Amino acid sequence: MADKIYRVNMTTLTTSVEAVPAAWAGHGGRGLTSTIVAAEVEPTCHPLGAKNKLVIAPGLLSGTVAANSGRLSIGAKSPLTGTIKEANAGGTAAQLLARAGCKALIIEGLPKGDAWYSLALTPEGVTIQEESELIGKGNFAVVETLGKRFTEKLGVLTIGQAGEMRMRAANISIKDPDGGLRSCGRGGLGAVMGSKKIKFITVNPKDGKVAIANPEKFKEANKAFSKALVDHPVSQALGQYGTNVLVNIINESGGLPTKNFTGGQFAGHESISGETMHDTISQRGGKVKHNCHAGCVIQCSQIYNDAGGKKLTSGFEYESIWAMGADCCVDNLDHIALADKLMDDIGIDTIETSVAMGVAMEAGVLPFGDGLGICRILEEEVAKGTTLGRIIGNGAGSVGIAFGITRVPVVKNQAIPAYDPRAIKGIGITYATSTQGADHTMGYTIATNILSVGGKVDPLTNVGQVELSRNLQIATAAIDSTGMCLFIAFAALDNAACLPALIDLINARYGLSLTGDDVVNLGKYILKTERAFNTAAGFTAADDRLPEFFYTEPLPPHNVTFDFKGEEIDTFWNF
Amino acid sequence: MQITVKLFAFFRENRFKVEEREIDEATTIGDIVDQLAISREEVGVLMLNSRHTDFAVRPAPGDILAIFPVIGGG
Ligand code: SF4
């Protein structure tokens, strides 16, 4: 079955299935969402208006048995940053979309009335239904209700109250195999889905299968690829401690942003660390290892139970724990877990919202360390859309404006995640130059700056950082197109067999003969396509900078500032 | 002289989280790792007073040494 483009027009409430244009054929995941957004969305349009489009695309290898290939990309013009945006996540939807024969789902237009809708995608096409029962409900109610409403196992993409209210930190959640949620978190894509009045999308591939051009070669390549992943020690530590293993090492390095980015070490780091979390999960009968989709051989996810042994949250990530923990000075992991669950339910980005809480704490809205206060604000203000709830739900930048705060850690209005760019300078280059606002995953220099994976570059000097960030951003753009979870990158950086095996997989799937150079060129093409969109939307080099306080306020314990000149940052684009 | 040694992740199993340790001036970080029966191959990152360091370095009195296995996340 040849892959197709599925198109939904919410203005006319019509749908169509189209052949894939030749120019899109070699793309998947982020490469495809960014190509389509760049081709079809007016860069200056209002992100919540009729001209924006939501583009959903599985990766090139999604739907196959290739290890860790279940990543789904969602793109649009971002309401948070005003730039082009791609956010990706696991869950089951990518695999099911690919098996349904969907190369991309493009949702355009805006409905006229007040009605809400759902979409159902099958190999035959997409149908649009009116929805009333689940409007105003959180994501867990959606997943649970749909589990009863339909007997088949469906992929589900859903928005919570935050998306319905078009908050700029709203995410799109994807159901995982156990009814948990994974989130396309960053950039407010949930608000775009909400603007189009779509509460949820179901995916049913029926008996659809992904065609493999060369099954023998594919099998062989997958064996080599899985082995490279499983053998890498980082993969093993990720299974045991989850991504939260990073709290202690980033704290030790002096780069753990603490108390709204006023310090680089958190006194309570041990109580929120991956080591403590691992022991707590084991004691309470949770699950240390868990996969966000079938076929993951790393299993960085987990199930975290409360003190009574009942599931509290899953997919409990370092970024979320840092943001509510160190950045808001909360040293109680149970409070953080509860807030994590609430944010999953409301459908709001845990990084953006927690950093916004940190700024609100500096403004005196609630005291630093008040974990239960965060939970109360989430439930009573954000979920209900009160004025304060909307200010926080629109992100850290919005809180800074509302309360007149200058220490607002955002780039292109997107909150800076869990690594301080003063003490870990490579990641500062990534934050500044990323086509999508501050985002560590765009070019994860932490691997080389801190973890000594893929070589070593001293985090505290400026030497080599621009080049490091450039190489990683190019590679990441390509990996984000394959449908692979980014955690394959640790093996890819260190093990010479990993990347060739990945390219072999793509070649065997599509009957191609791509080389390593083609993959690098793909990454460069994606970055340039995204940047051209941003330029046409009005962004300039002046936007590729960090907020002023990073240049003027030294960060303890190293007492360092971010001291790159603008011209140095701009050399990032010399490729 | 005394230094502080901190261990992380599975290096803590059957060892300790943090310990004050008596060493002499000739002792290198590599020697300390060997004394702890940690295989040098398994060591991912060494930090001395929050700066990256290596096996050949000799700690000074009062230094804080942090020893991590190969780990990652994001
Ligand atoms: S490593 Fe983690 S994020 Fe990646 S596929 Fe596995 S569970 Fe999902």
Side-chain angles (χ1 to χ4, degrees), chain A residues 68 71 182 290-293 296 298-301 485 487:
Chain A
N68 289 54
R71 215 72 187 171
R182 309 295 294 188
H290 180 251
N291 55 356
C292 74
H293 63 265
C296 162
I298 298 176
Q299 308 203 16
C300 79
S301 181
C485 148
F487 295 146

Side-chain angles (χ1 to χ4, degrees), chain A residues 234 237-238 240-241 245-246 248-249 252-253 265 270 275 319 419 440 444 449-451 458 460 487 490 558, chain B residues 6-13 17 44-45 47 49-53 64-66 68 70-74:
Chain A
V234 165
L238 273 170
Q240 188 171 0
Y241 298 100
V245 71
L246 289 177
N248 278 337
I249 192 166
E252 192 65 29
S253 80
Q265 287 180 323
E270 197 56 49
E275 288 90 338
E319 300 294 331
Y419 315 89
H440 61 293
Y444 192 66
N449 280 157
I450 300 291
L451 306 170
D458 182 354
L460 287 158
F487 295 146
F490 291 105
H558 296 299
Chain B
K6 300 200 252 181
L7 301 180
F8 296 91
F10 54 83
F11 284 169
R12 289 179 175 180
E13 287 166 18
K17 259 190 215 178
V45 175
M47 286 188 208
N49 305 322
S50 293
R51 299 292 306 255
H52 286 74
T53 186
I64 299 174
L65 172 65
F68 299 87
V70 184
I71 53 174

Side-chain angles (χ1 to χ4, degrees), chain A residues 434-477:
Chain A
S434 151
T435 51
Q436 311 195 15
D439 186 335
H440 61 293
T441 67
M442 291 282 144
Y444 192 66
T445 71
I446 308 306
T448 313
N449 280 157
I450 300 291
L451 306 170
S452 306
V453 174
K456 294 181 192 194
V457 173
D458 182 354
L460 287 158
T461 70
N462 289 1
V463 182
Q465 309 292 4
V466 172
E467 196 189 355
L468 175 65
S469 176
R470 184 194 296 127
N471 290 339
L472 288 170
Q473 289 200 52
I474 290 169
T476 303

Side-chain angles (χ1 to χ4, degrees), chain A residues 30 85-88 185-187 319 349 351 411 414-419 427 429-445 469 473 476 480 486:
Chain A
R30 173 176 169 191
K85 172 64 61 180
E86 183 264 358
N88 59 66
R186 311 228 63 197
E319 300 294 331
D349 180 23
I351 298 176
V411 180
Q414 181 163 281
I416 291 182
Y419 315 89
I427 202 71
I429 298 296
T430 296
Y431 296 155
T433 55
S434 151
T435 51
Q436 311 195 15
D439 186 335
H440 61 293
T441 67
M442 291 282 144
Y444 192 66
T445 71
S469 176
Q473 289 200 52
T476 303
D480 283 344
L486 197 53

